[in-house]
Amino acid sequence: MITKNNLLEEFTYAPFSKIKNEHFKPTIISAIDAARAEIDAITNSKEKPNFENTIAALEFSGKQLDRVTSIFFNLNSAETNKEIQKIAQEVSPLLTDFKNDTILNKTLFDKVKSVYEIQDQLELSVEQKTLLDEKYKAFSRNGANLPEDKQKELREIDKELSSLSLKFGENVLEETNKFELHITNEEDLKGLPDSFKEEAKSVAADKEKEGWIFTLQYPSYIPFMKYVENRELRKKMALAFGSKGFHNDELDNQENVLKIAKLRHRRANLLGFKTHAHFVLEQRMAETPDKVNNFLDQILEKAKPAAEREFSELENFAKKLDGIDQLQKWDAAFYGEKLKQELFDLNDEKLKPYFELESVIQGVFLVSNKLYGLNFTEVFDVDKYHPDVKTYQVTDEQNKDIALLYADFHPREGKRGGAWMTGYKPQYIQNGKNERPHISIVCNFTKPSKKDPSLLTFNEVTTLFHEFGHALHGMLANTTYPSISGANVYWDFVELPSQVLENWCYEKEALQLFAKHYKTGETIPMELVEKIKESANFHEGMATVRQLSFGMLDLSWHGIDPTNISNVKAHEDEAFEPTKLYPDVDKNCMSTSFSHIFQGGYSAGYYSYKWAEVLDADTFEYFQEQGIFSREVANKFRENILSQGGTEHPMTLYKRFRGKEPQPEALLKRAGLLPKE
Ligand SMILES: [Zn+2]
């Protein structure tokens, strides 16, 4: 029997309940064909290329493909199964081929380039200019302007880089998986809470072993380092964790690191950039390696004294408690946790009763209402992919449609871990109609039980606000072109809307709206809130310096010519010198398992975490000056940031909002690294 394929029909909302898995592949194939035909129409056109018939036409091509793949890949993250995973394996190469064919299409590039070259004669809006620049660079940054032999070299480098990164990742994974610490004497686990012991016991049982097994996976490794009193065992774990890819064996990554750094440098040179970091940062708010280096140095100067203070405080604490003379890396989490408990006596269980999920959702809705005048109405006639998913119609004060919001809060089999924001339909304006977006937030919060409603940890509360901040970026988007709408902005700018919203979780005025005890209705006591704030800053100096050290290591590989580097460990030691607190461990090396930058796409981008914090603290300071619910500041933020997406350079947008460039003082103050007035 052939079932009707509803994905091929026109639809407003994703028709989840009518989709059969077997429809995905044929639909994606036919959508690729349709997209190819649209591109052929551009390249075959006899008209002289102009913005509309080339750039805008390219931008709006493949719309059906985008919608179908967004449904498919979102499901693969939030409600997957073996069948969907298999289809993903099958369609991914087809999509890559299509993408590559487009980027390597010479006729198409020539047309784009001819528009690019006459742009000054065209009366383009700022947004159109940005779009033109983006389209042109998508080709040129992949070598479209190079002579044939150089293009060939570039393709070969790309191929080699992708297999090296893959190999790098496989080695790290295998190193992580092959290590286990098998404990048979319970005495060795003194200090470890029962729940983690149980977990380790079941890992052992799965392997038909007695006792407890610990691994280098975070959920096993982190509690071990935090709680286990046996210092020798902590050392053993830390040495194993820190030496992944650094054993001079078949899983060693030193050669891979050197090759990747050198190939990236060569690739950047071919494209006319001084270093790989110059290449990457061309499309970032930070713009140049110099700016990033200055930024990191500037924060380090302020954070280092605090970090040194904290370090010696911790060292004294460990000495007093256990007679430790020289604090080592494997002592950091353990004594840090002990000192924190002594200072704050704060735990999740104390806070959770004030954060019932439903109240927190209403809280984030209310905050959005006070800031942006948004109203959220739960609707029940929109198709969803799982009964747990909630759908809301979002409207503004004039009752105008703003967006559709999907919210999927609880874990289940088939959903990956973590929390994220995504979309099923972008916002854009076509034929005079402003198409409103369909945005989704997906989380993994504790489910309600028969006895209790879903009660969130404070960390989950800030996570919800974080993802909701991303969602606002998507929902309030108001641009013409979908590829630069909403959260489609430079990487070091994308976390501003999300991180800034987290600030409201620490404010009395906001908490009073929703943080009420689920049984008594009592508002959260302010001394608890103060404690949350203070404990959030615990050892902030050391944490900051640690993060800066990763950013500096990243740039040490990507912001210079690496041709003459031959010793990975020696190079790394040099890069770490300004941020060093603990004695070096010669058996350990960070670069050989630094997957963020050698496997994933974060090369020359690690600084972004701190960068975004500076932006969000600087933004929130503005709110604090005018009142955290100031409509005036909120309007400015909406007009200049949230609604603008990537239509202009983020620094331009930011300055228009704030009246000046972002300054790090607000962050340093918030983190307790500057004296408070
Ligand atoms: Zn985020």
Side-chain angles (χ1 to χ4, degrees):
M1 195 183 91
I2 294 169
T3 47
K4 187 167 153 237
N5 182 351
N6 285 285
L7 280 173
L8 288 172
E9 314 277 307
E10 283 272 318
F11 53 84
T12 309
Y13 302 116
F16 296 112
S17 67
K18 295 184 193 132
I19 302 173
K20 300 260 177 297
N21 284 341
E22 73 245 32
H23 292 153
F24 279 118
K25 195 175 167 187
T27 312
I28 289 173
I29 290 174
S30 92
I32 290 177
D33 289 343
R36 277 188 204 277
E38 285 169 313
I39 288 176
D40 287 346
I42 300 172
T43 52
N44 293 336
S45 164
K46 295 280 173 284
E47 285 174 42
K48 189 171 174 289
N50 60 32
F51 185 86
E52 279 308 316
N53 71 17
T54 306
I55 307 301
L58 181 59
E59 169 74 359
F60 286 110
S61 69
K63 216 156 60 184
Q64 192 208 9
L65 182 62
D66 289 342
R67 284 210 77 180
V68 176
T69 49
S70 78
I71 294 173
F72 178 72
F73 286 105
N74 281 330
L75 284 181
N76 194 28
S77 293
E79 181 67 5
T80 194
N81 53 45
K82 284 265 157 1
E83 210 181 328
I84 291 187
Q85 283 160 358
K86 187 170 166 267
I87 301 168
Q89 297 280 345
E90 289 166 11
V91 299
S92 291
L94 305 177
L95 291 163
T96 308
D97 282 349
F98 169 63
K99 223 170 113 193
N100 285 340
D101 290 347
T102 309
I103 265 345
L104 300 177
N105 185 330
K106 187 159 181 338
T107 320
L108 183 60
F109 175 62
D110 288 343
K111 293 211 168 197
V112 170
K113 191 176 179 177
S114 68
V115 181
Y116 185 78
E117 279 169 345
I118 55 156
Q119 58 178 301
D120 290 341
Q121 301 157 37
L122 311 168
E123 280 174 13
L124 299 180
S125 68
V126 177
E127 184 180 349
Q128 288 173 324
K129 275 199 176 127
T130 303
L131 185 72
L132 174 56
D133 196 57
E134 293 281 320
K135 292 288 178 226
Y136 175 77
K137 287 199 172 126
F139 293 93
S140 70
R141 286 168 64 87
N142 275 295
N145 274 321
L146 295 178
E148 216 167 297
D149 57 326
K150 296 264 167 63
Q151 277 201 17
K152 211 176 138 226
E153 188 184 348
L154 195 82
R155 301 288 155 248
E156 270 154 24
I157 291 177
D158 281 343
K159 235 194 234 158
E160 210 179 331
L161 272 175
S162 94
S163 81
L164 283 168
S165 313
L166 208 64
K167 184 74 194 132
F168 182 96
E170 285 168 5
N171 287 351
V172 174
L173 188 67
E174 213 175 315
E175 286 274 72
T176 308
N177 290 340
K178 81 175 199 190
F179 175 88
E180 56 177 49
L181 180 69
H182 187 194
I183 304 279
T184 46
N185 180 1
E186 192 165 3
E187 195 54 20
D188 286 337
L189 296 180
K190 222 173 139 212
L192 190 71
D194 286 344
S195 59
F196 297 119
K197 256 195 230 174
E198 283 306 309
E199 191 56 44
K201 198 172 186 135
S202 75
V203 175
D206 283 349
K207 300 186 175 186
E208 293 176 8
K209 282 183 183 163
E210 294 290 309
W212 302 264
I213 285 181
F214 295 87
T215 70
L216 300 181
Q217 313 277 5
Y218 282 106
S220 179
Y221 179 73
I222 301 282
F224 192 97
M225 298 307 288
K226 232 184 194 175
Y227 299 112
V228 170
E229 292 178 9
N230 187 323
R231 197 179 184 210
E232 273 312 303
L233 289 176
R234 288 202 314 267
K235 179 178 177 183
K236 203 169 173 186
M237 283 292 267
L239 289 181
F241 192 89
S243 60
K244 285 176 282 181
F246 193 56
H247 295 119
N248 292 311
D249 56 10
E250 73 285 356
L251 298 177
D252 193 282
N253 267 334
Q254 292 174 80
E255 269 313 301
N256 293 332
V257 164
L258 292 172
K259 277 189 195 155
I260 291 171
K262 287 169 192 180
L263 283 170
R264 281 176 177 165
H265 184 70
R266 173 67 189 147
R267 187 184 196 279
N269 286 168
L270 275 174
L271 292 168
F273 294 88
K274 210 171 142 205
T275 68
H276 178 66
H278 286 86
F279 168 74
V280 170
L281 292 165
E282 186 194 43
Q283 292 190 313
R284 296 286 188 269
M285 185 177 183
E287 289 182 306
T288 65
D290 274 353
K291 276 200 193 167
V292 175
N293 281 321
N294 287 339
F295 169 77
L296 296 172
D297 288 343
Q298 199 185 2
I299 309 268
L300 181 63
E301 196 195 310
K302 294 290 193 308
K304 189 78 188 280
E308 280 166 346
R309 219 165 37 236
E310 291 161 6
F311 183 80
S312 78
E313 178 195 44
L314 190 64
E315 203 161 39
N316 288 335
F317 177 73
K319 188 165 190 162
K320 220 171 71 198
L321 207 66
D322 291 331
I324 303 287
D325 270 329
Q326 171 66 66
L327 204 61
Q328 300 284 353
K329 280 184 179 152
W330 43 90
D331 299 319
F334 181 75
Y335 290 106
E337 178 64 23
K338 276 217 154 32
L339 182 58
K340 192 174 179 182
Q341 285 307 332
E342 194 176 291
L343 291 175
F344 298 105
D345 180 35
L346 191 69
N347 63 45
D348 282 343
E349 299 314 309
K350 267 195 190 144
L351 299 172
K352 275 164 78 172
Y354 296 97
F355 296 114
E356 185 187 344
L357 174 61
E358 198 45 50
S359 318
V360 181
I361 297 170
Q362 292 311 319
V364 80
F365 286 172
L366 254 172
V367 168
S368 314
N369 179 272
K370 282 175 156 291
L371 292 171
Y372 306 113
L374 299 179
N375 293 303
F376 298 80
T377 315
E378 186 166 4
V379 287
F380 300 93
D381 53 353
V382 172
D383 212 341
K384 21 186 164 185
Y385 56 88
H386 190 278
D388 277 1
V389 178
K390 290 167 183 276
T391 44
Y392 301 90
Q393 191 63 51
V394 188
T395 50
D396 69 4
E397 279 160 322
Q398 285 79 45
N399 213 17
K400 255 181 34 208
D401 177 31
I402 294 292
L404 179 77
L405 177 69
Y406 297 84
D408 178 2
F409 290 118
H410 303 297
R412 54 175 178 267
E413 208 186 324
K415 192 200 269 194
R416 71 172 159 92
W420 64 94
M421 166 269 197
T422 180
Y424 288 96
K425 183 189 164 202
Q427 178 274 331
Y428 57 91
I429 300 171
Q430 200 179 18
N431 306 323
K433 185 166 181 242
N434 194 331
E435 297 279 348
R436 299 312 305 167
H438 300 169
I439 301 296
S440 168
I441 51 176
V442 190
C443 312
N444 276 287
F445 300 146
T446 323
K447 262 195 131 162
S449 68
K450 281 205 183 80
K451 201 165 103 273
D452 287 319
S454 170
L455 300 175
L456 304 188
T457 64
F458 190 70
N459 193 19
E460 288 175 326
V461 175
T462 55
T463 300
L464 178 57
F465 273 70
H466 180 103
E467 296 313 327
F468 205 82
H470 282 307
L472 285 172
H473 205 183
M475 294 191 288
L476 293 174
N478 201 16
T479 63
T480 305
Y481 303 107
S483 72
I484 45 177
S485 167
N488 291 315
V489 299
Y490 288 167
W491 276 23
D492 52 0
F493 194 56
V494 73
E495 295 299 332
L496 168 58
S498 52
Q499 285 182 191
V500 78
L501 205 66
E502 291 180 39
N503 288 285
W504 273 261
C505 301
Y506 297 88
E507 295 295 317
K508 189 177 169 193
E509 253 185 288
L511 286 167
Q512 277 171 343
L513 300 172
F514 67 92
K516 303 208 163 95
H517 197 286
Y518 79 108
K519 276 185 181 153
T520 65
E522 173 214 12
T523 303
I524 191 166
M526 263 336 272
E527 55 287 5
L528 265 186
V529 179
E530 281 310 317
K531 256 192 192 180
I532 298 173
K533 271 195 202 179
E534 275 177 45
S535 76
N537 282 343
F538 176 70
H539 281 178
E540 186 62 32
M542 288 202 284
T544 301
V545 166
R546 190 177 132 89
Q547 219 182 24
L548 294 174
S549 75
F550 298 158
M552 288 174 167
L553 180 62
D554 176 15
L555 272 210
S556 82
W557 285 113
H558 297 118
I560 52 144
D561 176 355
T563 314
N564 294 322
I565 304 176
S566 56
N567 185 326
V568 174
K569 173 73 175 165
H571 172 78
E572 175 173 304
D573 285 348
E574 201 181 309
F576 277 155
E577 195 51 44
T579 54
K580 205 170 147 188
L581 290 168
Y582 288 87
D584 180 52
V585 181
D586 61 0
K587 290 195 178 76
N588 283 10
C589 182
M590 160 110 195
S591 301
T592 53
S593 63
F594 201 173
S595 302
H596 259 77
I597 64 166
F598 289 114
Q599 180 194 359
Y602 242 77
S603 59
Y606 205 92
Y607 75 91
S608 301
Y609 293 108
K610 260 299 155 241
W611 185 272
E613 280 181 51
V614 164
L615 294 181
D616 98 67
D618 191 60
T619 296
F620 192 62
E621 186 182 55
Y622 196 13
F623 274 102
Q624 282 177 310
E625 283 162 11
Q626 309 289 324
I628 62 162
F629 289 116
S630 158
R631 265 298 175 95
E632 198 193 320
V633 182
N635 279 340
K636 274 187 165 179
F637 194 63
R638 178 179 181 167
E639 286 311 310
N640 297 303
I641 309 278
L642 294 176
S643 65
Q644 294 297 317
T647 53
E648 274 186 86
H649 196 278
M651 192 60 93
T652 312
L653 294 176
Y654 193 85
K655 282 200 291 204
R656 210 173 284 145
F657 155 65
R658 191 68 167 98
K660 56 182 185 191
E661 288 200 6
Q663 301 297 325
E665 275 69 27
L667 170 70
L668 295 167
K669 217 192 298 171
R670 185 177 73 188
L673 299 174
L674 277 191
K676 292 185 181 102
E677 316 88 69

